């Protein structure tokens, strides 16, 4: 499978498949495709895994697209102004994504629910107690909010992230939530009560425009019922 990511603010990934190659995505993820792409809707692993995907922000059922009778093409567009990133997945090279980040992947990629080991991270970390774990083999595409900055953390090295800006990290990283020091900082600093602390070793991808922040900015301008 070959691919190209087009566009900047509203990107799309176009995948070029050889005959027999497959791509998976959640229902409604396909944007356009060649007429020889055959779609099959499936739980992709059974009802247990389907419920796990639902808890991680995806739909229970996935669509599997197969190129029939020769080469095929299929495109997956982002659903929000932001970025699409490609990751190569293999055993020992798993990824942790924010909720709902999974866009599409090769058939060998497996999406499952990831429960953060530190319960406080789930309560206050901004991306929820539940995230997405990507394992298996193949290329996976994720969509993030806004632009993405990448950092590589050494063992013991940390980065402090404001709520909601964590987009993805390699499975070797860990995260926990720490309160903002000082009562005055908490009440009047405007940065909230908690920050997320990510520890290495591993890579971290941070997004510049979390959709939750956008919703908060737009809320005062939305009409309210009388």
């Amino acid at each position: 499978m070959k691919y190209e990511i087009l566009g900047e603010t509203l990107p799309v990934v176009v995948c070029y498949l050889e005959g027999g190659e497959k791509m998976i995505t959640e229902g409604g993820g396909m944007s356009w495709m060649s007429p020889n792409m055959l779609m099959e809707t499936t739980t992709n692993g059974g009802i247990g895994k389907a419920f796990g995907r639902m808890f991680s922000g995806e739909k229970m059922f996935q669509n599997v697209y197969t190129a029939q009778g020769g080469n095929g093409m299929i495109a997956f567009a982002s659903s929000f102004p932001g970025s699409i990133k490609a990751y190569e997945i293999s055993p020992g090279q798993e990824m942790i994504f924010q909720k709902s980040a999974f866009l599409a992947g090769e058939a060998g990629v497996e999406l499952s629910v990831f429960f953060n080991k530190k319960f406080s991270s789930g309560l206050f970390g901004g991306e929820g107690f539940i995230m997405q774990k990507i394992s298996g083999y193949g290329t996976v595409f994720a969509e993030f909010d806004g632009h993405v900055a990448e950092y590589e953390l050494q063992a013991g090295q940390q980065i402090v992230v404001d709520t909601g800006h964590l987009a993805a990290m390699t499975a070797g990283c860990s995260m926990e939530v720490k309160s903002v020091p000082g009562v005055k900082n908490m009440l009047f600093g405007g940065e909230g009560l908690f920050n997320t602390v990510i520890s290495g070793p591993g890579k971290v991808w941070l997004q510049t425009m979390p959709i939750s922040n956008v919703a908060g900015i737009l809320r005062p301008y939305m009409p309210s019922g009388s």
Side-chain angles (χ1 to χ4, degrees), residues 17-67:
L17 281 63
E18 296 183 1
E21 287 190 314
K22 302 176 183 288
M23 294 291 296
I24 58 173
T25 185
E26 71 168 355
M30 188 276 296
S31 298
W32 60 82
M33 63 183 182
S34 57
N36 66 322
M37 297 297 298
L38 175 68
M39 185 189 82
E40 178 187 6
T41 302
T42 173
T43 58
N44 200 13
I47 194 67
K49 290 187 176 180
F51 273 109
R53 289 192 299 268
M54 182 184 69
F55 284 123
S56 71
E58 303 294 333
K59 297 180 181 178
M60 289 184 62
F61 293 89
Q62 291 185 319
N63 291 336
V64 180
Y65 292 89
T66 306

Side-chain angles (χ1 to χ4, degrees), residues 117-152:
K117 294 180 180 179
K118 295 183 181 293
F119 188 66
S120 62
S121 300
L123 292 177
F124 307 114
E127 291 306 322
F129 183 51
I130 299 173
M131 300 178 73
Q132 297 180 341
K133 182 176 182 180
I134 312 297
S135 56
Y137 294 88
T139 303
V140 64
F141 303 101
E143 58 174 329
F144 302 130
D145 306 334
H147 297 289
V148 177
E150 178 181 336
Y151 294 89
E152 183 164 5

